[in-house]
Structures are given as structure tokens and as C-alpha cells.
Amino acid sequence: MEPILRTTNSMDWITIIIFSSVLCVVIAKSIFYMRFTNFIILPFNNKYIFMYNKKDKLLNWFHIFFTIFQVLNFALFIYLARAILFESSNDNYPMIYLLILGLLLLFILLKVILQLGNGFVFNTNKTISEFVFKKLSYLNYSGMVMFLSNVVLVYVLKDSEAVVYVTIFLILLINGIGWVTVVRNHQKFIANNFFYFILYLCALEISPFVIIGSLLKA
């Protein structure tokens, strides 16, 4: 009998990424338990925003841990969704994931820097930093949806388009709630700077979806 070569697709590196992201949540919960309990109900209650919007904001370890969690799972979700929706061959190697992760990190950093820079130029630092904190908080929360989706797509329902579409819907819903909250809480500021708000919306909020869509199709 001649030996038959079988190619096996190792998902060990995906397991490491998922485990690493869970570790970020475990550490955040252990160190900041009260903050975590307020964060976990964010879409249903604004207590977290009101309690932590005025202090620590972006440079807080709880926020940093959850941002890492979100970015790791966001990149993995794009990686998996790209293969499922566009039948792209990811070859089950981490290089494509690392590329997506790098681009996503660069994009988020540039976006935050541009937003804060915009606040500095127009002397609206306080309001813009509140904008960034609130929107990133909702994006970080949607990271939990991405995490659950990644687990299902990797270990339970592989290649499920339904899971991908439901996840995209939930991500948009959560961040939509965040946007409604931001606009409602800053109606006067937006009304007084409506033209600049429209420019900001087009340049820094709508364009990300175009870029992410391009990443998925690439």
C-alpha cells in the first residue's frame, strides 16, 4: 500500500487568538469588576457612559483591555467572513489575518488621532473626546458579538452565511444605538457645528464601512 498524503487544516492559531481575547476580558473583569458590570448592560442602560465619560476615558486599562479584545475579534471576524461570503481561500494560515489585524489597528489609530486632532483644531477637545469614548465603548461592546460569532463559525457552524449576516446586523444595531445616544446627548453642539459634523460624518464614519467592505472583497 502506498501512503496517501492528507492535508490537514490546523486551526490552532485561531484558538490562540480566541483564548488571548478571552484573557483580556477576564483580566478586565477581575481588576475592574464594578466597571465591567456596568459595561455589560451598555446597550440597555447608559449608566456606564455617564459614570466613566468624565474621567479616565480612553487611557484607562479597562478600556484598553476591551479595545484589544474587540480588535482581535474584529480582525478574525473579517478574516472568516471574507472566506465565507466571497469564497476566498484563506489557506488557514495566519498571514492574511495578521495583515487584516495590522490594517485594522492602523485604521483605528489614525481615526482616533484625526478625531482628537479635529477637536484640537476647532477647540472642541472635551466634546470630541467624549464622542470618541462613547463610540469606542459601543464598538468594544460589539466585540462580544464578534467573539461569539467567531466561536460559532470556527467550532460549531463552519461556513455559515446566516451567522455572518446576523452578526453584521447585531454589530450595526449596537453601534447604531451608540450613535443615537451620542447625537441625543450632543444635540446643541451638533446644531451649532452642523456643517463640520457632516464633514466629520462622511470622512470618519461612513468611509470606514467602505474600507471594511473593500477588505472583505480583497
Side-chain angles (χ1 to χ4, degrees):
M1 293 179 62
E2 294 184 3
I4 300 174
L5 179 63
R6 293 178 180 271
T7 48
T8 57
N9 296 326
S10 173
M11 304 302 279
D12 290 347
W13 66 272
I14 293 182
T15 301
I16 292 171
I17 291 166
I18 291 175
F19 177 79
S20 300
S21 69
V22 171
L23 190 61
C24 289
V25 175
V26 171
I27 294 172
K29 181 182 177 182
S30 301
I31 301 175
F32 307 97
Y33 181 76
M34 287 305 300
R35 186 163 182 157
F36 177 83
T37 56
N38 290 319
F39 178 76
I40 208 70
I41 58 171
L42 178 60
F44 314 102
N45 191 313
N46 284 329
K47 185 178 180 181
Y48 175 82
I49 296 296
F50 288 121
M51 287 183 66
Y52 303 104
N53 186 40
K54 302 298 181 182
K55 57 182 180 179
D56 299 330
K57 290 186 181 178
L58 301 175
L59 296 179
N60 174 274
W61 278 108
F62 179 86
H63 194 78
I64 291 170
F65 278 126
F66 257 94
T67 299
I68 295 171
F69 169 79
Q70 174 260 127
V71 171
L72 288 174
N73 280 286
F74 200 170
L76 184 57
F77 177 71
I78 292 174
Y79 172 88
L80 296 172
R82 175 179 174 271
I84 294 169
L85 298 182
F86 302 101
E87 298 180 354
S88 303
S89 175
N90 283 331
D91 298 325
N92 292 315
Y93 289 106
M95 291 308 298
I96 296 176
Y97 170 79
L98 291 175
L99 177 61
I100 294 171
L101 179 63
L103 290 173
L104 192 60
L105 272 171
L106 180 63
F107 174 76
I108 290 175
L109 285 173
L110 284 175
K111 183 179 176 183
V112 170
I113 291 170
L114 287 172
Q115 287 173 323
L116 296 177
N118 180 62
F120 177 78
V121 170
F122 295 103
N123 199 26
T124 55
N125 302 58
K126 182 180 178 182
T127 303
I128 293 298
S129 61
E130 288 179 8
F131 268 32
V132 174
F133 173 76
K134 290 174 182 177
K135 292 193 290 86
L136 272 181
S137 294
Y138 280 92
L139 183 60
N140 288 345
Y141 189 93
S142 63
M144 291 190 285
V145 175
M146 300 173 201
F147 166 75
L148 292 175
S149 174
N150 292 337
V151 170
V152 172
L153 290 173
V154 173
Y155 303 111
V156 184
L157 300 173
K158 296 181 179 180
D159 302 326
S160 173
E161 290 188 10
V163 173
V164 173
Y165 286 124
V166 169
T167 303
I168 292 173
F169 171 75
L170 290 175
I171 292 170
L172 293 176
L173 178 64
I174 292 169
N175 288 279
I177 292 171
W179 254 107
V180 170
T181 302
V182 169
V183 171
R184 187 176 58 199
N185 292 342
H186 298 279
Q187 291 181 41
K188 185 176 180 181
F189 174 81
I190 292 171
N192 292 336
N193 302 274
F194 187 73
F195 175 72
Y196 297 109
F197 177 73
I198 294 299
L199 288 177
Y200 162 83
L201 196 65
C202 295
L204 296 176
E205 296 300 333
I206 296 176
S207 61
F209 293 102
V210 177
I211 294 172
I212 291 170
S214 301
L215 275 176
L216 286 172
K217 292 181 181 180

